[in-house]
Amino acid sequence: MSPVTFHLILGDTVSMICPARVVEDTADGLLLWIAPGSPVWRAELPPGAHLRDLPPGGSHPLRASRWRRGGALILQPAGAGHAVWWTFTEEQEFRGWYVNLESRVRTGADVHVTDQELDITVTPDRVWRWKDEESFAAKTGHPVYWTRAEAAGIRAEGERVAALVEAAAFPFDGTWCDFRPPASWALPELPALPLGSVTAPSGVLVLGKAGWIGHRRDGDRPWSEHAVAAAAAGGGHVHDGAAGEPATWGYEAVAVAASADRPLPVRARTAPSPFDGEPALSVLEISLGLPWDHAAHGPGPVPLGDLPADRCGMVLGDARALDGFASVDGPADRLRQAGRDHPLRAGALDIDGCRVLGLGWDSGDHSMRHRGERAHGQAYPVTLDQRDGEAVLRWVIPPYEAPREAPYETPYEAPHQEPRSAPAGASASAPAAAEDEA
Protein backbone atom coordinates (compact mmCIF):
# COMPACT_ATOMS: atom_id res chain seq x y z
CA MET A 1 0.00 0.00 0.00
CA SER A 2 1.00 3.63 -0.50
CA PRO A 3 2.70 5.38 2.44
CA VAL A 4 1.00 8.06 4.48
CA THR A 5 2.55 11.10 6.11
CA PHE A 6 2.20 11.26 9.87
CA HIS A 7 2.07 14.82 11.30
CA LEU A 8 2.49 15.02 15.10
CA ILE A 9 1.24 18.30 16.64
CA LEU A 10 1.30 19.62 20.19
CA GLY A 11 -0.70 22.77 20.80
CA ASP A 12 0.09 25.10 17.92
CA THR A 13 3.41 23.51 16.95
CA VAL A 14 4.24 20.72 14.51
CA SER A 15 6.63 18.48 16.41
CA MET A 16 7.46 15.99 13.65
CA ILE A 17 6.47 14.90 10.16
CA CYS A 18 7.23 11.25 9.45
CA PRO A 19 6.46 8.82 6.62
CA ALA A 20 4.67 5.61 7.61
CA ARG A 21 3.81 2.49 5.66
CA VAL A 22 0.19 1.31 5.71
CA VAL A 23 -0.04 -2.26 7.03
CA GLU A 24 -3.85 -2.39 7.16
CA ASP A 25 -6.54 0.13 6.24
CA THR A 26 -10.05 -1.05 7.13
CA ALA A 27 -13.32 0.31 8.48
CA ASP A 28 -12.02 -0.54 11.96
CA GLY A 29 -8.98 1.68 11.70
CA LEU A 30 -5.53 2.31 10.26
CA LEU A 31 -2.42 0.26 11.11
CA LEU A 32 0.91 1.95 10.32
CA TRP A 33 4.57 0.96 10.47
CA ILE A 34 7.40 3.43 11.10
CA ALA A 35 10.76 1.85 10.31
CA PRO A 36 13.95 2.56 12.27
CA GLY A 37 16.01 5.24 10.56
CA SER A 38 13.08 6.69 8.60
CA PRO A 39 13.77 10.25 7.40
CA VAL A 40 11.67 12.82 9.26
CA TRP A 41 11.20 16.54 9.69
CA ARG A 42 11.68 17.39 13.37
CA ALA A 43 11.12 20.67 15.23
CA GLU A 44 14.42 22.28 16.13
CA LEU A 45 14.38 22.93 19.90
CA PRO A 46 16.92 24.40 22.33
CA PRO A 47 19.49 21.80 23.49
CA GLY A 48 18.03 19.45 26.08
CA ALA A 49 14.51 20.87 25.76
CA HIS A 50 11.28 18.96 25.12
CA LEU A 51 8.38 20.58 23.32
CA ARG A 52 6.02 19.80 26.20
CA ASP A 53 8.09 22.04 28.49
CA LEU A 54 8.14 25.07 26.15
CA PRO A 55 5.40 27.71 26.00
CA PRO A 56 3.12 27.69 22.94
CA GLY A 57 3.54 30.22 20.18
CA GLY A 58 7.29 29.78 19.78
CA SER A 59 9.08 29.55 16.46
CA HIS A 60 10.51 26.04 16.02
CA PRO A 61 11.54 25.45 12.38
CA LEU A 62 11.51 21.91 11.07
CA ARG A 63 14.85 20.34 10.20
CA ALA A 64 15.62 17.12 8.34
CA SER A 65 16.43 14.31 10.76
CA ARG A 66 15.93 10.57 11.32
CA TRP A 67 13.61 8.40 13.42
CA ARG A 68 15.93 7.74 16.36
CA ARG A 69 14.22 4.75 17.96
CA GLY A 70 13.41 1.18 17.00
CA GLY A 71 10.40 0.49 14.82
CA ALA A 72 6.83 1.27 15.82
CA LEU A 73 3.55 -0.31 14.77
CA ILE A 74 0.69 2.15 15.30
CA LEU A 75 -3.01 1.28 15.47
CA GLN A 76 -5.39 4.21 15.07
CA PRO A 77 -8.87 2.79 15.81
CA ALA A 78 -11.64 4.42 13.80
CA GLY A 79 -13.48 7.07 15.81
CA ALA A 80 -11.31 6.64 18.93
CA GLY A 81 -9.44 9.33 20.84
CA HIS A 82 -6.29 7.27 21.18
CA ALA A 83 -3.70 5.25 19.27
CA VAL A 84 -1.84 2.13 20.44
CA TRP A 85 1.85 1.80 19.61
CA TRP A 86 3.72 -1.52 19.62
CA THR A 87 7.34 -0.47 20.20
CA PHE A 88 10.31 -2.58 19.12
CA THR A 89 14.07 -2.48 19.44
CA GLU A 90 16.18 -2.05 16.32
CA GLU A 91 16.63 -5.85 16.45
CA GLN A 92 12.80 -6.15 16.24
CA GLU A 93 12.28 -7.36 19.81
CA PHE A 94 8.96 -6.29 21.33
CA ARG A 95 9.45 -3.68 24.10
CA GLY A 96 5.87 -2.92 25.12
CA TRP A 97 2.84 -0.84 24.24
CA TYR A 98 2.39 2.91 24.35
CA VAL A 99 -1.08 4.50 24.39
CA ASN A 100 -1.12 7.99 22.89
CA LEU A 101 -4.24 9.98 23.77
CA GLU A 102 -4.94 12.16 20.75
CA SER A 103 -7.32 13.61 18.23
CA ARG A 104 -6.63 13.20 14.53
CA VAL A 105 -7.79 14.09 11.06
CA ARG A 106 -6.98 12.09 7.93
CA THR A 107 -6.99 13.84 4.57
CA GLY A 108 -5.91 11.62 1.71
CA ALA A 109 -2.36 10.48 2.44
CA ASP A 110 -1.90 12.89 5.38
CA VAL A 111 -2.73 11.97 8.99
CA HIS A 112 -2.66 14.95 11.38
CA VAL A 113 -2.38 13.86 15.01
CA THR A 114 -2.88 16.41 17.79
CA ASP A 115 -1.26 15.07 20.93
CA GLN A 116 -3.22 15.43 24.17
CA GLU A 117 -0.16 15.04 26.38
CA LEU A 118 -1.54 12.42 28.78
CA ASP A 119 -0.33 8.95 27.79
CA ILE A 120 -0.14 5.40 29.14
CA THR A 121 2.88 3.08 29.08
CA VAL A 122 2.31 -0.70 29.16
CA THR A 123 5.02 -3.29 29.77
CA PRO A 124 5.05 -6.64 27.92
CA ASP A 125 3.50 -8.28 31.03
CA ARG A 126 0.70 -5.65 30.98
CA VAL A 127 1.70 -3.40 33.87
CA TRP A 128 0.42 0.05 32.99
CA ARG A 129 0.89 3.58 34.34
CA TRP A 130 -0.02 7.13 33.43
CA LYS A 131 2.63 9.30 31.80
CA ASP A 132 2.99 13.12 31.80
CA GLU A 133 0.17 13.74 34.28
CA GLU A 134 1.78 16.93 35.64
CA SER A 135 2.29 18.44 32.19
CA PHE A 136 -1.26 17.46 31.20
CA ALA A 137 -2.67 19.20 34.29
CA ALA A 138 -0.56 22.32 33.68
CA LYS A 139 -1.90 22.68 30.12
CA THR A 140 -5.54 22.12 31.06
CA GLY A 141 -7.54 25.32 30.66
CA HIS A 142 -4.99 26.99 28.36
CA PRO A 143 -6.73 28.22 25.17
CA VAL A 144 -4.16 26.50 22.92
CA TYR A 145 -4.76 23.08 24.51
CA TRP A 146 -7.98 21.77 26.14
CA THR A 147 -10.67 22.85 28.56
CA ARG A 148 -11.30 21.20 31.92
CA ALA A 149 -14.31 19.42 30.46
CA GLU A 150 -12.22 18.15 27.54
CA ALA A 151 -9.50 17.05 29.99
CA ALA A 152 -12.04 14.89 31.82
CA GLY A 153 -12.98 13.26 28.51
CA ILE A 154 -9.32 12.64 27.64
CA ARG A 155 -8.69 10.93 30.97
CA ALA A 156 -11.88 8.86 30.59
CA GLU A 157 -10.62 7.67 27.19
CA GLY A 158 -7.39 6.54 28.85
CA GLU A 159 -9.31 4.70 31.57
CA ARG A 160 -11.28 2.77 28.93
CA VAL A 161 -8.02 1.71 27.28
CA ALA A 162 -6.51 0.75 30.66
CA ALA A 163 -9.48 -1.57 31.23
CA LEU A 164 -8.56 -3.39 27.99
CA VAL A 165 -4.99 -3.76 29.26
CA GLU A 166 -6.16 -5.32 32.54
CA ALA A 167 -8.47 -7.71 30.66
CA ALA A 168 -5.67 -8.69 28.23
CA ALA A 169 -8.15 -7.84 25.47
CA PHE A 170 -7.26 -6.72 21.96
CA PRO A 171 -5.01 -4.93 21.19
CA PHE A 172 -3.20 -6.09 24.35
CA ASP A 173 -3.76 -9.83 23.80
CA GLY A 174 -0.44 -10.54 22.08
CA THR A 175 -1.61 -9.71 18.57
CA TRP A 176 1.11 -8.11 16.41
CA CYS A 177 3.79 -8.53 19.10
CA ASP A 178 5.73 -10.78 16.71
CA PHE A 179 5.39 -8.41 13.77
CA ARG A 180 8.28 -8.47 11.32
CA PRO A 181 8.30 -6.07 8.35
CA PRO A 182 9.03 -7.75 5.00
CA ALA A 183 12.65 -7.45 3.92
CA SER A 184 11.45 -5.84 0.67
CA TRP A 185 10.22 -2.74 2.51
CA ALA A 186 12.82 -0.08 1.78
CA LEU A 187 13.11 3.08 3.83
CA PRO A 188 10.71 5.77 2.58
CA GLU A 189 11.73 9.15 1.25
CA LEU A 190 11.76 12.29 3.35
CA PRO A 191 8.13 13.47 3.27
CA ALA A 192 6.91 16.69 1.74
CA LEU A 193 7.45 19.77 3.88
CA PRO A 194 4.40 22.02 4.42
CA LEU A 195 5.31 25.64 3.71
CA GLY A 196 2.05 27.15 4.97
CA SER A 197 -0.56 28.67 2.70
CA VAL A 198 -1.18 31.63 0.41
CA THR A 199 -4.37 33.46 -0.56
CA ALA A 200 -5.56 34.68 -3.96
CA PRO A 201 -8.71 36.80 -3.52
CA SER A 202 -8.45 37.95 -7.16
CA GLY A 203 -8.82 34.33 -8.29
CA VAL A 204 -5.39 34.35 -9.99
CA LEU A 205 -2.24 32.91 -8.44
CA VAL A 206 1.28 33.79 -9.63
CA LEU A 207 4.61 32.00 -9.12
CA GLY A 208 7.46 34.19 -10.33
CA LYS A 209 10.90 35.68 -9.90
CA ALA A 210 11.23 38.04 -6.94
CA GLY A 211 14.31 39.91 -8.15
CA TRP A 212 12.72 41.19 -11.34
CA ILE A 213 9.14 41.71 -10.22
CA GLY A 214 9.49 45.49 -10.36
CA HIS A 215 11.02 45.40 -13.86
CA ARG A 216 8.50 46.99 -16.25
CA ARG A 217 8.98 49.30 -19.22
CA ASP A 218 7.32 52.71 -19.17
CA GLY A 219 3.77 52.47 -20.47
CA ASP A 220 3.45 48.70 -19.91
CA ARG A 221 0.35 47.33 -18.26
CA PRO A 222 0.72 46.02 -14.69
CA TRP A 223 1.90 42.43 -14.49
CA SER A 224 -1.40 41.44 -12.88
CA GLU A 225 -3.26 42.25 -16.10
CA HIS A 226 -1.01 39.91 -18.06
CA ALA A 227 -1.45 37.27 -15.35
CA VAL A 228 -5.26 37.53 -15.37
CA ALA A 229 -5.29 37.11 -19.16
CA ALA A 230 -2.99 34.07 -18.95
CA ALA A 231 -5.11 32.46 -16.22
CA ALA A 232 -8.30 33.04 -18.23
CA ALA A 233 -6.72 31.13 -21.12
CA GLY A 234 -6.13 28.10 -18.89
CA GLY A 235 -2.87 29.22 -17.32
CA GLY A 236 0.41 30.25 -18.86
CA HIS A 237 3.76 31.99 -18.85
CA VAL A 238 4.09 35.77 -18.33
CA HIS A 239 7.37 37.48 -19.16
CA ASP A 240 8.93 40.71 -20.36
CA GLY A 241 10.63 39.34 -23.45
CA ALA A 242 9.50 39.47 -27.05
CA ALA A 243 6.22 37.87 -28.07
CA GLY A 244 7.70 34.40 -28.26
CA GLU A 245 10.53 33.88 -25.80
CA PRO A 246 11.30 35.32 -22.36
CA ALA A 247 14.32 37.56 -22.01
CA THR A 248 17.55 35.96 -20.86
CA TRP A 249 17.41 38.22 -17.81
CA GLY A 250 14.14 39.73 -16.67
CA TYR A 251 10.76 39.15 -15.08
CA GLU A 252 9.09 35.77 -15.50
CA ALA A 253 6.10 34.15 -13.86
CA VAL A 254 3.44 31.51 -14.35
CA ALA A 255 -0.20 32.44 -13.68
CA VAL A 256 -3.16 30.11 -13.05
CA ALA A 257 -6.74 30.34 -11.84
CA ALA A 258 -7.18 29.55 -8.14
CA SER A 259 -9.90 29.57 -5.53
CA ALA A 260 -10.57 33.10 -4.26
CA ASP A 261 -12.25 32.12 -0.99
CA ARG A 262 -9.86 29.81 0.87
CA PRO A 263 -6.20 29.43 1.85
CA LEU A 264 -4.16 27.48 -0.70
CA PRO A 265 -1.75 24.98 0.95
CA VAL A 266 1.83 24.93 -0.29
CA ARG A 267 4.28 22.09 0.23
CA ALA A 268 7.68 21.08 -1.06
CA ARG A 269 9.56 17.89 -1.68
CA THR A 270 13.29 18.01 -1.19
CA ALA A 271 16.45 16.16 -2.12
CA PRO A 272 19.92 16.51 -0.57
CA SER A 273 21.99 19.13 -2.32
CA PRO A 274 24.95 17.49 -4.11
CA PHE A 275 27.08 20.45 -2.99
CA ASP A 276 26.48 20.79 0.75
CA GLY A 277 24.08 17.94 1.63
CA GLU A 278 21.36 20.30 2.89
CA PRO A 279 17.73 19.72 1.78
CA ALA A 280 17.12 21.51 -1.51
CA LEU A 281 13.85 22.06 -3.32
CA SER A 282 12.94 19.38 -5.85
CA VAL A 283 9.14 19.86 -6.21
CA LEU A 284 7.00 22.84 -5.22
CA GLU A 285 3.28 22.01 -5.16
CA ILE A 286 0.41 24.43 -4.57
CA SER A 287 -3.17 23.21 -4.10
CA LEU A 288 -5.38 25.57 -6.12
CA GLY A 289 -8.64 24.83 -4.33
CA LEU A 290 -10.40 23.93 -7.60
CA PRO A 291 -11.58 20.55 -8.92
CA TRP A 292 -9.59 19.10 -11.77
CA ASP A 293 -11.27 19.86 -15.12
CA HIS A 294 -11.03 16.58 -17.06
CA ALA A 295 -12.90 18.01 -20.05
CA ALA A 296 -10.44 20.88 -20.47
CA HIS A 297 -7.20 19.23 -19.38
CA GLY A 298 -7.61 15.47 -19.82
CA PRO A 299 -5.64 13.37 -17.34
CA GLY A 300 -2.80 15.94 -17.10
CA PRO A 301 -0.22 17.23 -16.64
CA VAL A 302 -0.61 20.43 -18.68
CA PRO A 303 2.68 22.27 -19.41
CA LEU A 304 2.54 25.98 -18.58
CA GLY A 305 6.14 26.95 -19.33
CA ASP A 306 9.31 26.91 -17.29
CA LEU A 307 10.96 29.15 -14.72
CA PRO A 308 14.58 29.73 -13.73
CA ALA A 309 15.54 29.72 -10.05
CA ASP A 310 16.03 33.44 -9.51
CA ARG A 311 19.05 34.03 -7.27
CA CYS A 312 17.04 36.73 -5.46
CA GLY A 313 14.33 34.18 -4.64
CA MET A 314 10.85 33.33 -5.89
CA VAL A 315 7.51 34.79 -4.86
CA LEU A 316 4.10 33.09 -4.80
CA GLY A 317 0.81 34.88 -4.26
CA ASP A 318 -2.18 36.80 -5.55
CA ALA A 319 -1.61 38.46 -8.93
CA ARG A 320 -2.85 41.90 -7.90
CA ALA A 321 -1.15 41.81 -4.51
CA LEU A 322 2.17 41.29 -6.26
CA ASP A 323 1.71 44.55 -8.14
CA GLY A 324 1.87 46.22 -4.74
CA PHE A 325 4.80 44.06 -3.74
CA ALA A 326 6.74 45.27 -6.79
CA SER A 327 6.36 48.89 -5.72
CA VAL A 328 7.91 48.55 -2.25
CA ASP A 329 11.61 49.01 -1.57
CA GLY A 330 13.77 45.88 -1.49
CA PRO A 331 11.09 43.19 -1.98
CA ALA A 332 13.67 40.43 -2.31
CA ASP A 333 15.36 41.57 0.92
CA ARG A 334 12.00 41.38 2.72
CA LEU A 335 11.54 37.81 1.54
CA ARG A 336 15.02 36.79 2.63
CA GLN A 337 14.39 38.25 6.07
CA ALA A 338 11.05 36.43 6.40
CA GLY A 339 12.57 33.04 5.53
CA ARG A 340 15.97 33.33 7.21
CA ASP A 341 15.29 30.54 9.77
CA HIS A 342 13.49 28.12 7.45
CA PRO A 343 15.31 25.09 5.93
CA LEU A 344 14.05 26.10 2.45
CA ARG A 345 14.30 29.85 3.18
CA ALA A 346 10.49 30.07 2.93
CA GLY A 347 8.76 32.97 4.65
CA ALA A 348 5.29 34.54 4.48
CA LEU A 349 4.44 38.22 4.13
CA ASP A 350 1.13 40.07 4.28
CA ILE A 351 0.73 42.26 1.19
CA ASP A 352 -2.47 44.23 0.56
CA GLY A 353 -4.36 41.84 2.82
CA CYS A 354 -3.06 38.74 1.01
CA ARG A 355 -0.75 36.08 2.37
CA VAL A 356 2.25 35.84 0.02
CA LEU A 357 5.06 33.31 0.25
CA GLY A 358 8.70 33.96 -0.55
CA LEU A 359 11.12 31.14 -1.32
CA GLY A 360 14.88 31.57 -1.15
CA TRP A 361 17.79 29.27 -1.81
CA ASP A 362 20.42 27.47 0.20
CA SER A 363 23.58 29.44 -0.57
CA GLY A 364 25.72 26.37 -1.18
CA ASP A 365 23.27 24.75 -3.58
CA HIS A 366 22.22 27.87 -5.44
CA SER A 367 25.65 29.39 -6.00
CA MET A 368 26.83 26.18 -7.67
CA ARG A 369 23.71 24.82 -9.32
CA HIS A 370 21.50 27.72 -10.44
CA ARG A 371 23.95 30.58 -11.04
CA GLY A 372 23.44 30.57 -14.79
CA GLU A 373 19.62 30.81 -14.71
CA ARG A 374 18.01 30.95 -18.17
CA ALA A 375 21.22 32.21 -19.75
CA HIS A 376 22.63 28.71 -19.31
CA GLY A 377 19.46 26.70 -19.83
CA GLN A 378 18.69 26.41 -16.13
CA ALA A 379 14.91 26.80 -16.31
CA TYR A 380 12.62 24.13 -14.88
CA PRO A 381 9.12 22.97 -15.94
CA VAL A 382 5.90 24.25 -14.40
CA THR A 383 2.74 22.20 -14.93
CA LEU A 384 -0.93 22.20 -14.03
CA ASP A 385 -1.65 18.74 -12.64
CA GLN A 386 -4.02 16.89 -10.34
CA ARG A 387 -3.78 15.24 -6.94
CA ASP A 388 -6.77 13.44 -5.42
CA GLY A 389 -9.05 15.08 -8.00
CA GLU A 390 -7.90 18.63 -7.20
CA ALA A 391 -5.94 20.98 -9.42
CA VAL A 392 -2.38 21.71 -8.30
CA LEU A 393 0.45 23.82 -9.66
CA ARG A 394 3.82 22.02 -9.72
CA TRP A 395 7.32 23.34 -10.29
CA VAL A 396 9.85 20.52 -10.65
CA ILE A 397 13.61 20.98 -10.33
CA PRO A 398 15.19 17.76 -11.67
CA PRO A 399 18.19 16.06 -10.03
CA TYR A 400 21.46 17.85 -10.65
CA GLU A 401 23.71 16.52 -13.38
CA ALA A 402 27.30 17.68 -13.21
CA PRO A 403 28.51 19.16 -16.51
CA ARG A 404 30.89 17.03 -18.47
CA GLU A 405 34.47 18.14 -18.74
CA ALA A 406 34.96 20.39 -21.74
CA PRO A 407 37.24 18.92 -24.41
CA TYR A 408 40.42 20.67 -25.34
CA GLU A 409 39.62 23.38 -27.86
CA THR A 410 43.20 24.07 -28.96
CA PRO A 411 44.40 22.64 -32.28
CA TYR A 412 47.07 20.62 -30.52
CA GLU A 413 46.76 17.71 -28.14
CA ALA A 414 47.14 18.20 -24.43
CA PRO A 415 50.67 17.45 -23.28
CA HIS A 416 51.09 13.97 -21.89
CA GLN A 417 51.88 13.81 -18.18
CA GLU A 418 53.01 10.77 -16.25
CA PRO A 419 50.87 10.09 -13.18
CA ARG A 420 52.54 11.04 -9.94
CA SER A 421 52.72 8.41 -7.25
CA ALA A 422 51.14 9.14 -3.87
CA PRO A 423 53.41 9.75 -0.89
CA ALA A 424 54.21 6.68 1.15
CA GLY A 425 51.43 5.84 3.60
CA ALA A 426 48.80 7.97 1.87
CA SER A 427 45.32 6.48 1.50
CA ALA A 428 43.67 6.19 -1.89
CA SER A 429 40.38 7.55 -0.57
CA ALA A 430 39.14 9.57 2.38
CA PRO A 431 37.39 7.66 5.16
CA ALA A 432 33.58 7.88 5.15
CA ALA A 433 32.08 10.33 7.61
CA ALA A 434 30.29 8.80 10.56
CA GLU A 435 26.51 9.05 10.41
CA ASP A 436 25.13 11.91 12.49
CA GLU A 437 22.49 10.55 14.84
CA ALA A 438 21.82 13.87 16.57
Side-chain angles (χ1 to χ4, degrees):
M1 296 186 182
S2 300
V4 301
T5 303
F6 184 83
H7 305 248
L8 187 61
I9 304 159
L10 179 61
D12 56 3
T13 302
V14 176
S15 171
M16 184 177 64
I17 302 175
C18 179
R21 186 178 290 272
V22 176
V23 180
E24 288 186 354
D25 188 358
T26 69
D28 294 329
L30 186 64
L31 187 65
L32 305 174
W33 168 250
I34 298 179
S38 293
V40 303
W41 294 103
R42 192 186 305 277
E44 185 176 58
L45 305 178
H50 192 285
L51 188 58
R52 73 168 67 90
D53 303 320
L54 299 176
S59 177
H60 305 296
L62 294 166
R63 304 294 184 192
S65 183
R66 292 277 176 182
W67 183 261
R68 298 168 181 165
R69 309 173 184 88
L73 194 65
I74 304 172
L75 175 64
Q76 297 178 334
H82 73 275
V84 177
W85 295 45
W86 285 256
T87 63
F88 298 87
T89 66
E90 293 189 10
E91 292 73 31
Q92 204 56 30
E93 296 177 357
F94 177 62
R95 296 177 55 199
W97 296 273
Y98 190 92
V99 180
N100 199 60
L101 298 172
E102 63 188 40
S103 63
R104 56 182 173 267
V105 175
R106 182 180 179 185
T107 306
D110 291 295
V111 180
H112 295 263
V113 173
T114 300
D115 188 53
Q116 293 171 335
E117 190 65 14
L118 186 64
D119 299 317
I120 296 174
T121 61
V122 186
T123 65
D125 54 356
R126 300 182 186 85
V127 175
W128 68 272
R129 66 179 181 87
W130 295 107
K131 181 177 179 292
D132 299 328
E133 286 187 282
E134 291 184 3
S135 180
F136 174 69
K139 290 176 172 58
T140 297
H142 192 289
V144 170
Y145 299 109
W146 40 82
T147 65
R148 294 191 180 280
E150 290 169 335
I154 293 168
R155 182 173 283 274
E157 178 80 2
E159 290 169 348
R160 285 191 290 270
V161 179
L164 297 177
V165 176
E166 293 175 350
F170 180 81
F172 306 99
D173 59 354
T175 304
W176 296 110
C177 291
D178 58 351
F179 176 76
R180 299 290 184 275
S184 59
W185 286 5
L187 281 182
E189 296 178 347
L190 186 67
L193 177 64
L195 301 183
S197 61
V198 296
T199 54
S202 72
V204 177
L205 185 74
V206 168
L207 169 65
K209 299 170 68 174
W212 293 86
I213 197 168
H215 183 253
R216 190 159 57 91
R217 294 182 296 266
D218 291 341
D220 281 358
R221 295 181 297 162
W223 286 120
S224 62
E225 294 186 19
H226 297 279
V228 168
H237 197 185
V238 178
H239 57 80
D240 62 0
E245 297 294 329
T248 301
W249 305 100
Y251 178 71
E252 295 186 52
V254 166
V256 292
S259 174
D261 60 359
R262 71 190 70 177
L264 309 175
V266 184
R267 63 182 192 171
R269 291 202 171 273
T270 63
S273 164
F275 304 105
D276 62 8
E278 293 296 316
L281 177 69
S282 60
V283 180
L284 183 69
E285 182 178 280
I286 305 98
S287 297
L288 299 177
L290 301 174
W292 179 254
D293 189 341
H294 284 275
H297 304 307
V302 179
L304 300 179
D306 55 18
L307 289 175
D310 183 8
R311 66 183 60 206
C312 293
M314 312 297 288
V315 63
L316 173 70
D318 180 83
R320 293 196 172 96
L322 293 184
D323 284 343
F325 181 58
S327 65
V328 303
D329 292 332
D333 291 336
R334 290 181 61 187
L335 290 178
R336 280 193 288 269
Q337 184 70 12
R340 65 188 185 280
D341 295 326
H342 193 277
L344 293 184
R345 310 303 192 268
L349 296 172
D350 185 80
I351 300 172
D352 291 344
C354 302
R355 188 173 178 84
V356 171
L357 184 74
L359 186 69
W361 305 103
D362 171 78
S363 57
D365 186 76
H366 187 269
S367 63
M368 297 297 295
R369 181 177 181 183
H370 305 302
R371 58 185 174 182
E373 299 186 357
R374 187 172 290 282
H376 290 265
Q378 293 171 341
Y380 310 110
V382 183
T383 58
L384 185 64
D385 209 343
Q386 63 170 318
R387 178 168 57 86
D388 300 328
E390 183 179 76
V392 298
L393 183 69
R394 285 199 180 103
W395 186 37
V396 178
I397 298 180
Y400 175 79
E401 294 184 4
R404 296 179 180 177
E405 291 186 10
Y408 284 96
E409 297 179 356
T410 54
Y412 55 87
E413 292 186 358
H416 175 75
Q417 291 182 331
E418 294 292 338
R420 293 181 296 174
S421 59
S427 172
S429 62
E435 183 177 358
D436 181 8
E437 295 291 344

